[in-house]
Amino acid sequence: MAVVRAMILAAGLGTRLRPLTDLRAKPALPVRGRPVISLLLEFLARQGCREVMINLHHRSESVRAAVETDHPDELEISWSEESVALGTGGGIRRAANFLRKSESCVVLAGDMLLDVPLKELFDRHVASRRHVTLVLRDDSRAERFGSIGTNRDGFVTRIG
């Protein structure tokens, strides 16, 4: 796999986890004793990623503290502090110059736990010659939160 830069979206308010997120940003909340963001950084490092940008807004100090305390040494971490939340698209747009400096990039939500074969997904993405590849899963809460529809060929047909 070529060198891939990554972005972790960690600027959200975490409203569904209040009151926990009144004290810490959602990516800084612990799972089995470790902040979620630290687990994501470890995942990216295991997959060969060496440069990560993290966007921040709500309780940014808690994310910075979690990362400073617990991150793989081989990762170079950059920050994109948002004084006003830019939303998912705005955060990625702001990081565009950073992400363009590698042939491909990975964008992860800062509140997710995953263990997927990133190299295999990356290779499939390159072979497909598509501009974007999404990793989706079925979610029993789709009625409440919305879903993304795809056709037999894997193309997105609906969002919402």
Side-chain angles (χ1 to χ4, degrees), residues 130-151:
R130 294 180 181 159
H131 295 291
V132 175
T133 297
L134 300 173
V135 176
L136 304 172
R137 67 173 178 84
D138 288 327
D139 191 329
S140 61
R141 304 167 301 165
E143 270 188 38
R144 183 171 168 204
F145 297 113
S147 64
I148 297 175
T150 58
N151 64 19

Side-chain angles (χ1 to χ4, degrees), residues 119-138:
K119 182 187 181 330
E120 179 183 316
L121 289 170
F122 179 77
D123 291 344
R124 286 176 51 198
H125 167 73
V126 171
S128 76
R129 302 180 68 134
R130 294 180 181 159
H131 295 291
V132 175
T133 297
L134 300 173
V135 176
L136 304 172
R137 67 173 178 84
D138 288 327

Side-chain angles (χ1 to χ4, degrees), residues 15-153:
T15 55
R16 291 189 305 265
L17 280 178
R18 283 190 179 137
L20 295 175
T21 53
D22 288 339
L23 304 174
R24 293 185 213 182
K26 196 162 38 165
L29 292 171
V31 171
R32 300 190 75 187
R34 293 186 64 201
V36 171
I37 193 131
S38 298
L39 298 169
L40 282 172
L41 291 169
E42 185 176 279
F43 165 76
L44 288 168
R46 276 195 326 265
Q47 302 296 323
C49 184
R50 295 295 170 257
E51 297 177 72
V52 178
M53 177 170 284
I54 303 169
N55 75 329
L56 303 170
H57 175 66
H58 175 70
R59 294 290 186 194
S60 60
E61 74 285 350
S62 66
V63 177
R64 284 182 186 271
V67 170
E68 288 171 14
T69 302
D70 185 3
H71 73 276
D73 292 334
E74 64 269 24
L75 286 182
E76 181 180 318
I77 298 168
S78 304
W79 305 96
S80 177
E81 187 95 29
E82 300 174 9
S83 57
V84 175
L86 300 175
T88 302
I92 295 169
R93 184 174 23 258
R94 188 173 190 195
N97 288 335
F98 167 82
L99 296 170
R100 281 189 190 112
K101 291 180 183 173
S102 67
E103 184 178 325
S104 293
C105 62
V106 175
V107 178
L108 302 172
D111 61 355
M112 61 194 301
L113 296 173
L114 76 160
D115 190 13
V116 297
L118 196 55
K119 182 187 181 330
E120 179 183 316
L121 289 170
F122 179 77
D123 291 344
R124 286 176 51 198
H125 167 73
V126 171
S128 76
R129 302 180 68 134
R130 294 180 181 159
H131 295 291
V132 175
T133 297
L134 300 173
V135 176
L136 304 172
R137 67 173 178 84
D138 288 327
D139 191 329
S140 61
R141 304 167 301 165
E143 270 188 38
R144 183 171 168 204
F145 297 113
S147 64
I148 297 175
T150 58
N151 64 19
R152 275 187 233 150
D153 298 322

